[in-house]
Amino acid sequence: MSDPNADQPPRYLRTPEAARFLSLSGRTLEKHRTYGTGPEYHKIGGRVVYAVADLTAWAKLGKKKSTSDPGVGTVLPAKRHAPIPYAGKERR
């Protein structure tokens, strides 16, 4: 069965709408954006928007079948994590 929305342009949500879509608070989503642990986003004219497909893909990273299931990936908490090396150097 084909997707009925396949020919539709991508849908974008502002931060409050995206937070409701994920059942998070807007502030939590802002923290995820700050720390780089959240879904991908776009800046359009100074406004932050999220594609519904990106929100869904990010949420699927945390999908598990049981508590012992390592799953596909991990959705990190919205807090500062150890710096990730960038081109052989640490970011400032």
Side-chain angles (χ1 to χ4, degrees), residues 23-70:
S23 299
L24 298 173
S25 74
R27 184 70 182 121
T28 298
L29 198 52
E30 290 170 2
K31 285 181 180 181
H32 275 296
R33 192 167 62 239
T34 300
Y35 298 130
T37 57
E40 292 184 1
Y41 64 94
H42 304 267
K43 295 257 328 216
I44 300 175
R47 295 176 187 210
V48 173
V49 294
Y50 296 87
V52 172
D54 291 338
L55 295 172
T56 303
W58 181 73
K60 283 184 179 180
L61 285 175
K63 185 176 181 178
K64 313 279 186 215
K65 289 188 178 191
S66 71
T67 55
S68 61
D69 180 9

Side-chain angles (χ1 to χ4, degrees), residues 3 5-18 20-21 40-42 44 48-56:
D3 183 7
N5 296 326
D7 60 341
Q8 298 292 319
R11 172 104 196 270
Y12 293 100
L13 303 176
R14 302 277 305 271
T15 300
E17 298 164 325
R20 278 193 301 274
F21 180 83
E40 292 184 1
Y41 64 94
H42 304 267
I44 300 175
V48 173
V49 294
Y50 296 87
V52 172
D54 291 338
L55 295 172
T56 303

